[in-house]
Amino acid sequence: DIQMTQSPSSVSVSVGDRVTLTCRASQGISNWLAWYQKKPGKAPKLLIYAASSLQSGVPSRFSGSGSGTDFTLTISSLQPEDFASYFCQQVNSFPLTFGGGTKVEIK
Amino acid sequence: QVQLVESGGGVVQPGRSLRLSCAASGFTFSNYAMHWVRQAPGKGLEWVALILSDGSKKYYADSVKGRFTISRDNSKNTLYLQMNSLGAEDTAVHYCARGASSGYFYSDYWGQGTLVTVSS
C-alpha cells in the first residue's frame, strides 16, 4: 500500500498569511493526488484534484503542485474560513490512502 | 442540487453487524461511482470502499476487506455498506461520497455522515 505523509501536523498562522502544506508519497504516484479540506462536524470538501487542478467553486487562493512523490498545497492569503484540517489522498492505486492531515490553526 | 444522506448508524456491540445506507438525489445516480470514507474520533480520514457505477467492480481498504461489503441499488438511488464483525476500531463517522466527474477515484460531493459506535 502507498503511505502518505503530511507535514507539518499542525501550523499556526494569521489571516492574510501564505501557507504551504506538504504531502509525500512512499512511492511515485505521478499526479494522482487530491487535497481535501475538513472542518469539525462538516463533510470533507474536494479542493484540488490531479495534483494541481482546482475543483469547481474553490477559491483561486488555493493551489496545488507536485508530481511523483512530493506535493504541496498553498493558500496564498489565508482567510478566516480556511482554518481547518487538510488531507491529501493518493488515487494512483488501490487501496486509496489519505495522509494524516495538517491542522491549520489561528495564531 | 446534489444531496447524499447517510443513515443506519448507531451503537452496536463488538462482533455484531450493521448496514449503512446513503440516499442520493439531484444527479443521475446510476452514472457515478460511489465511495465510503470514515473518520474515527480525533483521527484522520480513512478511505473504506468504492463501487463502480454499474456495481461491476468493488474495492476495499485492507482494514475492512472480508468484513465489509459495498453495494448499490440504482433503481432506488441508494448506496449501502454492510459491516460485519465490527470492532472498536470501526467506531467512526462514516461518509458516503460521489465519485467525481473528473475521475471517479476522487470524491466531489459528500454526505454529512452517520456515526457508528462499537461498544459493549
Side-chain angles (χ1 to χ4, degrees), chain B residues 36-114:
Chain B
W36 287 100
V37 177
R38 66 186 182 182
Q39 186 175 35
K43 302 294 186 182
L45 297 174
E46 180 187 19
W47 175 81
V48 173
L50 164 70
I51 185 169
L52 298 191
S53 58
D54 61 359
S56 60
K57 290 190 176 181
K58 305 173 185 182
Y59 303 89
Y60 297 95
D62 294 343
S63 60
V64 307
K65 199 174 295 183
R67 299 189 300 124
F68 288 14
T69 302
I70 189 172
S71 63
R72 64 192 297 158
D73 186 336
N74 286 346
S75 69
K76 295 182 178 179
N77 292 343
T78 303
L79 174 72
Y80 302 101
L81 185 67
Q82 177 67 43
M83 304 185 294
N84 298 333
S85 303
L86 285 162
E89 69 276 12
D90 298 312
T91 293
V93 176
H94 288 68
Y95 298 94
C96 65
R98 191 183 81 167
S101 304
S102 54
Y104 64 77
F105 16 84
Y106 305 113
S107 300
D108 60 356
Y109 286 92
W110 298 64
Q112 288 304 305
T114 187

Side-chain angles (χ1 to χ4, degrees), chain A residues 51-106:
Chain A
S52 60
S53 296
L54 193 67
Q55 174 68 7
S56 175
V58 174
S60 59
R61 63 181 179 271
F62 291 92
S63 64
S65 66
S67 183
T69 60
D70 294 315
F71 302 86
T72 60
L73 174 70
T74 298
I75 310 172
S76 60
S77 177
L78 202 76
Q79 298 302 299
E81 61 268 29
D82 300 335
F83 290 98
S85 293
Y86 293 85
F87 295 89
C88 62
Q89 182 195 33
Q90 68 81 20
V91 298
N92 178 78
S93 61
F94 291 103
L96 309 184
T97 46
F98 286 94
T102 294
K103 187 173 183 179
V104 177
E105 300 176 301
I106 303 173

